[in-house]
Amino acid sequence: MTLYSCCLILLLFTWKTAAYGPNQRAQKKGDIILGGLFPIHFGVAAKDQDLKSRPESVECIRYNFRGFRWLQAMIFAIEEINSSPTLLPNMTLGYRIFDTCNTVSKALEATLSFVAQNKIDSLNLDEFCNCSEHIPSTIAVVGATGSGISTAVANLLGLFYIPQVSYASSSRLLSNKNQFKSFLRTIPNDEHQATAMADIIEYFRWNWVGTIAADDDYGRPGIEKFREEAEERDICIDFSELISQYSDEEEIQQVVEVIQNSTARVIVVFSSGPDLEPLIKEIVRRNITGKIWLASEAWASSSLIAMPEFFRVIGSTIGFALKAGQIPGFREFLQKVHPKKSTNNGFAKEFWEETFNCYLPDGSKNSPAPTSFHKGHEEGLGAGNGTFAFRPPCTGDENITSVETPYMDYTHLRISYNVYLAVYSIAHALQDIYTCTPGKGLFTNGSCADIKKVEAWQVLKHLRHLNFTNNMGEQVDFDEFGDLVGNYSIINWHLSPEDGSVVFEEVGHYNVYAKKGERLFINENKILWSGFSKEVPFSNCSRDCLPGTRKGIIEGEPTCCFECVDCPDGEYSDETDASACDKCPEDYWSNENHTSCIPKQIEFLSWTEPFGIALTLFAVLGIFLTSFVLGVFTKFRNTPIVKATNRELSYLLLFSLLCCFSSSLFFIGEPQNWTCRLRQPAFGISFVLCISCILVKTNRVLLVFEAKIPTSLHRKWWGLNLQFLLVFLCTFVQIVICVIWLYTAPPSSYRNHELEDEIIFITCHEGSLMALGFLIGYTCLLAAICFFFAFKSRKLPENFNEAKFITFSMLIFFIVWISFIPAYASTYGKFVSAVEVIAILAASFGLLACIFFNKVYIILFKPSRNTIEEVRCSTAAHAFKVAARATLRRSNVSRKRSNSLGGSTGSTPSSSISSKSNHEDPFPLPASAERQRQQQRGCKQKVSFGSGTVTLSLSFEEPQKNAMANRNAKRRNSLEAQNSDDSLMRHRALLPLQ
């Protein structure tokens, strides 16, 4: 059975050797063998395997100059290590390098040769066969390039724990150590690259992009990570397409249609150059320009894409490139390549033929071959392809430096340096094994591996714990996922003014080690958009929303497609594309453009505004008029009119009116706590004092005139002290109400933000509306009582209580305050104070005008009426009017009784009161003579009734004659004494008061 297995493996190995002949590998013997996988070709020729005969290995096509340079980097590193006296002394490294042709099938075909060789060594068949050409096991593999290829290779190598160190596979899926146990790499994974792409889009304020990814393990995970990062940054993706170099023409056409119809100008591409090339060619054919291409590192510097004829379409490319490294002596090594000198490199012959477009006569290729080659720059993928024709033979003396190809482009060594670093990583792992001290090793009980019999899994163990310093002084150590964390350079495609070729200008970098938000640096001055423009292109679904607006969602559209909505009042936005408007602070309001907040307008009944000035002038006018009346009353205090109106109460009444007018001024100006607590009590107490004076004054005169015989009790109640006591008691009730109010719920200044959004109304918060209601209600109650007494005493002499004027003033008072209640409830802000001021002024002017203006008019302009005779005449006239009414009333009653008894009409008692029914004086005097006679002898008045006119006559000629006149009047009126005694007694009682 063992022999049978040996034969099978040898057969497999023999077949593999036949498939990979001497010209299809680079191989050199050594104590330790390293494997290599490089894309010397870009693909394989499509061939229909009908299985009518033995299947043949597919042919690789489209030579890749860069792939050959990467292979040379591995050979250079191995030779440099072999010549080093310090690194692996007395040990020689060999290599076996195969072409993957950028396909999984070819890569697995090569990987099987590594695995098969290791399996033969594990069988220890030396005793069964003589293998003089025995090659040691491959203890590590450098490669492969594409992530999809490395995924397949890693699955196979991982079964045998053969370490694989990739130099260009960046898919984040390969960091999964559960699936890819032996995979490591010297290139950062795409997770950082996808984040960097999203950071660039955010930097340029783009939010509307399309994505294209290779349909493999490189493109799909990379673009998926980008979607995650884009979503966090509110970047929307308009379309997402998958491509492949093996896509048919119809699929390519569909992707191009999507790109052409999309409004997104930025296109993020996670792909390799070969996969992207068919799409770019179709886009160039259709001349679709104006797009910005954001390139992953796999094609950002690919010479397959970075061609001058493509530049008008992809000239705005911004891409990522790996950090370039330094390889001393590598340039000279590249120039030494020659088919005859590079005996260990089976790919040198084809390289020579492709470089000089010829064929080597002693070679196996006499058939037509690709005739053209493509020159490229930077670390892009180069290829030679063209039409098929016969090539001239090569002389072997061609100068490699005379031809410009991607192979000789060593200005920025990125992938080549990663290959160099991968070889050195394996070498340093072997060095750790070589220098291992027993007891300090990584294996069981601190044991060390034997360098001469080292196995792949032992090398893998040391690679995981590797830590060394490279030739650039940088620390190299693989993390727990087998990755090296590195930085990216950001490049922009420019067109060289010298030869028209595409050059890659470094315009920034991305530092993975920096803090978030500080990783990206871009020098915008170096960027050329479309090869010439400095203006950053626009790639947003909607135009930017200016400050003062916010983004509004459009139903059914992505969040990046929005409409600009003006910020509502009270909110603002001071940035472009604000997602939401910010609310202004409580004391601020948005300006007209809603771009900032300005202090709210402060509103109160100001002294300086026209309305406030008008109210102030009216209040001052009221104070002046009241003061004037008070001055007149003080100056004429001994005149009959002033004395008849109860002089002391009039003074107090005028003082209360001064307080009323003055209290209105507390409602004007910015409300403060002290003014708020003072104004309502001042107003309420002032008006109660005023109404109390009127009430006591009116009630006193009414009591005097209604009393039949003035007694000592009446005089006691009519005393001045009691009048002031009554006024004080009425006012004290109001004071108690105010004190309770101020103690339990004191008013305070209040900044009202609710009435109007952009205005702060500074008002007084009354504390308790119930207390305010009690204050005004008590005032109105006193006014109602006063109105009742005034109405009842409306027929008394005018000089005593001016009943009709007080009645009218109370009506004005009620009208004002009844109107005040709905006005107060319906107004707001400063107008609340204005309404109350108007009410106070209207009521005060009504009281002042109705009660005092008539008196002032008589005192100042009618002094003839301000005499003792006029006052007594008015009083007497009232008394006789009452007597006459009583006499006529009794006469009518007697006449009715006589008529009912059938008797004759009785005569009316005679007196100085003469009755003339419907007759006038037969000899009337002229009006002037009549007035003079009345002034000399007294007064005469006529009182009209329904049945006739009664003429009253009273004489006050001389003070000495007063007694005689009174006695004569008594005698003349003796018959009517019973009818008029009540009125005369009131007259006598009032005379001393006059």
Side-chain angles (χ1 to χ4, degrees):
M1 183 64 183
T2 303
L3 182 62
Y4 178 71
S5 300
C6 177
C7 294
L8 285 178
I9 294 173
L10 287 175
L11 180 63
L12 175 65
F13 181 71
T14 303
W15 181 79
K16 291 295 297 179
T17 304
Y20 279 85
N23 293 330
Q24 293 176 302
R25 73 173 69 181
Q27 180 173 302
K28 183 179 180 180
K29 294 182 180 180
D31 299 323
I32 297 174
I33 301 298
L34 304 183
L37 298 173
F38 294 92
I40 309 302
H41 295 85
F42 281 113
V44 295
K47 188 175 182 180
D48 184 17
Q49 300 287 356
D50 55 7
L51 301 179
K52 293 181 179 180
S53 60
R54 179 185 294 275
E56 297 179 358
S57 180
V58 292
E59 181 183 3
C60 298
I61 59 173
R62 301 173 66 200
Y63 195 80
N64 182 5
F65 288 95
R66 286 186 68 211
F68 184 70
R69 188 179 67 202
W70 300 340
L71 180 148
Q72 288 286 80
M74 180 176 176
I75 296 175
F76 174 78
I78 290 175
E79 292 184 0
E80 192 175 63
I81 292 169
N82 288 337
S83 62
S84 172
T86 58
L87 191 60
L88 296 177
N90 303 321
M91 298 290 295
T92 302
L93 295 180
Y95 53 83
R96 295 174 67 211
I97 303 173
F98 297 99
D99 180 14
T100 64
C101 299
N102 203 37
T103 61
V104 173
S105 60
K106 283 292 185 181
L108 288 177
E109 192 177 350
T111 305
L112 281 173
S113 70
F114 300 141
V115 174
Q117 182 62 46
N118 285 20
K119 201 62 181 174
I120 291 174
D121 289 346
S122 66
L123 293 176
N124 195 14
L125 299 177
D126 291 342
E127 57 181 291
F128 296 102
C129 59
N130 182 16
C131 301
S132 59
E133 297 295 325
H134 174 65
I135 299 176
S137 299
T138 303
I139 54 93
V141 176
V142 176
T145 308
S147 296
I149 297 174
S150 287
T151 300
V153 172
N155 279 317
L156 183 56
L157 294 178
L159 293 175
F160 304 96
Y161 290 92
I162 300 174
Q164 174 189 357
V165 184
S166 176
Y167 49 84
S169 299
S170 57
S171 172
R172 63 190 183 115
L173 296 181
L174 291 167
S175 297
N176 186 351
K177 294 299 104 179
N178 292 326
Q179 184 176 359
F180 308 105
K181 301 178 180 63
S182 62
F183 181 83
L184 303 98
R185 52 187 163 190
T186 56
I187 183 175
N189 70 43
D190 289 331
E191 186 164 352
H192 298 296
Q193 187 176 187
T195 303
M197 285 181 166
D199 286 343
I200 286 181
I201 293 174
E202 186 179 33
Y203 176 85
F204 288 111
R205 302 181 65 84
W206 296 325
N207 65 11
W208 190 236
V209 301
T211 63
I212 296 175
D215 191 10
D216 55 23
D217 289 338
Y218 169 72
R220 289 191 301 269
I223 212 66
E224 182 62 32
K225 175 63 178 176
F226 170 78
R227 285 197 196 97
E228 296 174 5
E229 296 291 334
E231 185 176 353
E232 291 181 3
R233 294 164 174 79
D234 293 330
I235 299 170
C236 298
I237 298 175
D238 184 28
F239 63 87
S240 186
E241 299 292 334
L242 296 176
I243 58 172
S244 171
Q245 62 178 319
Y246 303 111
S247 299
D248 56 34
E249 185 176 351
E250 184 179 353
E251 292 174 339
I252 295 296
Q253 294 283 353
Q254 290 178 353
V255 175
V256 173
E257 288 287 341
V258 171
I259 294 173
Q260 189 171 16
N261 296 329
S262 173
T263 57
R265 295 190 62 187
V266 175
I267 302 175
V268 180
V269 182
F270 256 96
S271 174
S272 62
D275 287 325
L276 184 62
E277 184 186 19
L279 178 68
I280 296 297
K281 285 183 176 179
E282 180 61 23
I283 291 175
V284 171
R285 188 186 69 81
R286 296 195 184 192
N287 195 27
I288 302 174
T289 59
K291 302 294 183 181
I292 300 104
W293 299 84
L294 194 55
S296 64
E297 51 80 27
W299 73 275
S301 54
S302 171
S303 57
L304 273 179
I305 311 299
M307 300 176 66
E309 54 266 34
F310 295 167
F311 189 80
R312 72 177 188 276
V313 170
I314 55 175
S316 296
T317 298
I318 292 180
F320 290 87
L322 301 174
K323 185 179 180 181
Q326 303 283 337
I327 306 178
F330 186 50
R331 177 181 180 181
E332 293 75 13
F333 179 80
L334 292 177
Q335 294 174 352
K336 291 179 182 179
V337 66
H338 195 279
K340 294 181 180 181
K341 296 179 182 179
S342 305
T343 56
N344 295 322
N345 191 343
F347 300 104
K349 178 179 178 294
E350 185 179 3
F351 164 75
W352 198 265
E353 292 176 341
E354 293 293 338
T355 300
F356 298 104
N357 197 24
C358 62
Y359 73 96
L360 292 171
D362 57 346
S364 60
K365 285 191 176 181
N366 295 320
S367 58
T371 61
S372 65
F373 60 89
H374 180 267
K375 59 182 179 179
H377 301 274
E378 293 292 329
E379 197 69 352
L381 293 176
N385 61 61
T387 60
F388 288 92
F390 291 102
R391 290 176 173 176
C394 301
T395 63
D397 297 327
E398 291 85 0
N399 184 4
I400 192 69
T401 60
S402 64
V403 181
E404 188 174 339
T405 64
Y407 171 78
M408 291 301 296
D409 184 12
Y410 47 79
T411 54
H412 293 87
L413 299 177
R414 295 186 171 93
I415 300 296
S416 297
Y417 184 76
N418 284 351
V419 173
Y420 181 81
L421 190 60
V423 174
Y424 265 88
S425 298
I426 298 172
H428 276 279
L430 293 171
Q431 178 72 11
D432 291 342
I433 295 175
Y434 181 80
T435 59
C436 178
T437 302
K440 297 182 179 179
L442 300 178
F443 304 102
T444 306
N445 299 323
S447 61
C448 298
D450 186 358
I451 189 64
K452 295 181 179 180
K453 296 182 180 180
V454 65
E455 297 185 37
W457 65 271
Q458 295 171 326
V459 177
L460 177 62
K461 178 69 172 179
H462 277 270
L463 278 171
R464 291 178 177 177
H465 293 81
L466 184 67
N467 193 335
F468 74 98
T469 303
N470 62 15
N471 66 324
M472 296 179 63
E474 298 173 342
Q475 202 71 18
V476 178
D477 59 328
F478 296 101
D479 61 18
E480 58 180 325
F481 304 107
D483 300 334
L484 286 183
V485 179
N487 299 325
Y488 293 97
S489 297
I490 300 174
I491 59 175
N492 179 224
W493 290 13
H494 291 186
L495 203 61
S496 174
E498 299 175 357
D499 56 3
S501 61
V502 177
V503 295
F504 309 111
E505 180 72 22
E506 186 170 331
V507 296
H509 61 265
Y510 188 81
N511 186 1
V512 177
Y513 299 98
K515 294 187 299 184
K516 188 175 181 179
E518 299 178 0
R519 297 173 181 172
L520 180 66
F521 170 77
I522 293 180
N523 186 352
E524 291 190 52
N525 295 326
K526 290 186 176 181
I527 298 179
L528 292 178
W529 304 102
S530 300
F532 61 89
S533 175
K534 289 285 186 179
E535 183 180 358
V536 178
F538 180 82
S539 183
N540 297 65
C541 183
S542 302
R543 284 287 174 183
D544 294 343
C545 289
L546 299 177
T549 62
R550 65 169 178 85
K551 295 188 290 187
I553 297 175
I554 301 176
E555 187 175 356
E557 295 290 337
T559 57
C560 298
C561 300
F562 51 82
E563 57 183 353
C564 295
V565 181
D566 291 334
C567 289
D569 292 337
E571 297 182 10
Y572 75 101
S573 66
D574 56 359
E575 59 183 14
T576 304
D577 276 349
S579 299
C581 299
D582 299 322
K583 285 189 176 182
C584 291
E586 187 178 22
D587 291 344
Y588 288 81
W589 194 250
S590 56
N591 61 1
E592 184 178 355
N593 297 324
H594 299 278
T595 56
S596 63
C597 291
I598 57 176
K600 286 184 179 181
Q601 181 181 350
I602 304 297
E603 282 282 344
F604 56 86
L605 189 58
S606 172
W607 297 100
T608 57
E609 65 175 291
F611 198 26
I613 293 174
L615 293 177
T616 303
L617 290 178
F618 275 108
V620 171
L621 177 62
I623 294 172
F624 171 77
L625 292 177
T626 305
S627 301
F628 175 75
V629 173
L630 182 59
V632 170
F633 268 54
T634 303
K635 182 177 181 180
F636 297 96
R637 59 185 176 277
N638 294 321
T639 59
I641 289 292
V642 176
K643 293 170 68 176
T645 56
N646 199 332
R647 179 173 52 194
E648 289 75 11
L649 280 180
S650 295
Y651 292 158
L652 187 57
L653 177 58
L654 288 169
F655 170 76
S656 65
L657 286 174
L658 280 175
C659 294
C660 290
F661 283 113
S662 300
S663 67
S664 65
L665 298 177
F666 289 113
F667 291 83
I668 304 174
E670 182 176 352
Q672 305 291 337
N673 285 337
W674 68 272
T675 56
C676 290
R677 292 167 185 168
L678 183 60
R679 65 182 193 174
Q680 296 291 8
F683 140 72
I685 293 172
S686 299
F687 266 95
V688 165
L689 180 60
C690 177
I691 301 300
S692 299
C693 291
I694 299 173
L695 176 61
V696 171
K697 178 181 174 183
T698 306
N699 189 43
R700 170 185 169 272
V701 178
L702 183 63
L703 287 175
V704 169
F705 275 93
E706 287 188 349
K708 295 184 178 181
I709 301 176
T711 63
S712 60
L713 182 62
H714 286 119
R715 290 187 176 91
K716 181 180 179 181
W717 280 100
W718 297 335
L720 190 60
N721 293 335
L722 186 57
Q723 297 174 38
F724 283 111
L725 178 61
L726 292 175
V727 171
F728 171 74
L729 291 176
C730 292
T731 307
F732 181 74
V733 175
Q734 187 77 305
I735 293 173
V736 171
I737 294 174
C738 293
V739 169
I740 295 175
W741 182 7
L742 294 177
Y743 180 76
T744 57
S748 60
S749 177
Y750 171 63
R751 300 171 72 90
N752 195 329
H753 299 266
E754 300 175 357
L755 297 177
E756 298 224 2
D757 294 329
E758 56 191 47
I759 300 175
I760 298 176
F761 290 99
I762 302 181
T763 59
C764 285
H765 187 271
E766 301 300 350
S768 173
L769 290 178
M770 182 180 294
L772 179 61
F774 274 118
L775 184 141
I776 297 177
Y778 178 68
T779 305
C780 292
L781 176 63
L782 291 181
I785 297 173
C786 185
F787 176 77
F788 171 74
F789 285 125
F791 181 78
K792 192 173 181 181
S793 60
R794 67 189 182 279
K795 295 182 180 180
L796 297 182
E798 294 179 357
N799 292 326
F800 287 96
N801 78 336
E802 314 87 17
K804 62 181 179 181
F805 295 110
I806 293 177
T807 304
F808 188 65
S809 67
M810 291 298 103
L811 286 175
I812 294 175
F813 184 88
F814 279 118
I815 291 172
V816 167
W817 290 108
I818 290 174
S819 302
F820 164 78
I821 295 174
Y824 185 87
S826 60
T827 54
Y828 60 89
K830 65 181 181 180
F831 299 106
V832 174
S833 298
V835 165
E836 194 159 357
V837 171
I838 293 172
I840 292 172
L841 293 179
S844 300
F845 274 114
L847 293 173
L848 178 65
C850 293
I851 297 175
F852 291 102
F853 281 4
N854 182 49
K855 301 293 185 295
V856 173
Y857 175 77
I858 293 174
I859 293 172
L860 297 179
F861 302 106
K862 297 292 184 180
S864 61
R865 296 177 58 184
N866 189 14
T867 60
I868 190 66
E869 292 82 2
E870 186 70 20
V871 174
R872 288 177 176 175
C873 179
S874 176
T875 305
H878 175 75
F880 284 110
K881 287 178 183 179
V882 174
R885 290 192 185 95
T887 301
L888 291 176
R889 192 164 47 248
R890 293 182 180 181
S891 176
N892 291 334
V893 171
S894 300
R895 189 179 300 112
K896 289 179 180 180
R897 288 179 180 176
S898 300
N899 291 335
S900 63
L901 296 175
S904 60
T905 303
S907 62
T908 303
S910 62
S911 69
S912 62
I913 302 175
S914 58
S915 177
K916 300 180 182 180
S917 299
N918 301 323
H919 288 85
E920 298 293 337
D921 191 349
F923 302 102
L925 294 175
S928 60
E930 179 66 20
R931 283 194 301 271
Q932 182 177 3
R933 185 169 63 86
Q934 288 185 10
Q935 291 175 3
Q936 292 176 355
R937 299 183 59 187
C939 62
K940 179 184 289 186
Q941 295 187 10
K942 295 182 179 179
V943 182
S944 298
F945 301 96
S947 59
T949 300
V950 178
T951 301
L952 306 177
S953 177
L954 186 63
S955 175
F956 303 101
E957 293 180 357
E958 295 178 0
Q960 295 82 0
K961 299 179 182 179
N962 284 343
M964 182 63 69
N966 288 336
R967 286 193 297 268
N968 294 333
K970 289 179 182 179
R971 285 193 297 268
R972 286 192 302 268
N973 297 329
S974 57
L975 296 177
E976 290 84 12
Q978 295 178 355
N979 299 325
S980 59
D981 56 351
D982 292 343
S983 297
L984 291 178
M985 287 300 293
R986 293 188 185 93
H987 168 63
R988 295 191 191 99
L990 290 172
L991 287 180
L993 297 177
Q994 298 173 11

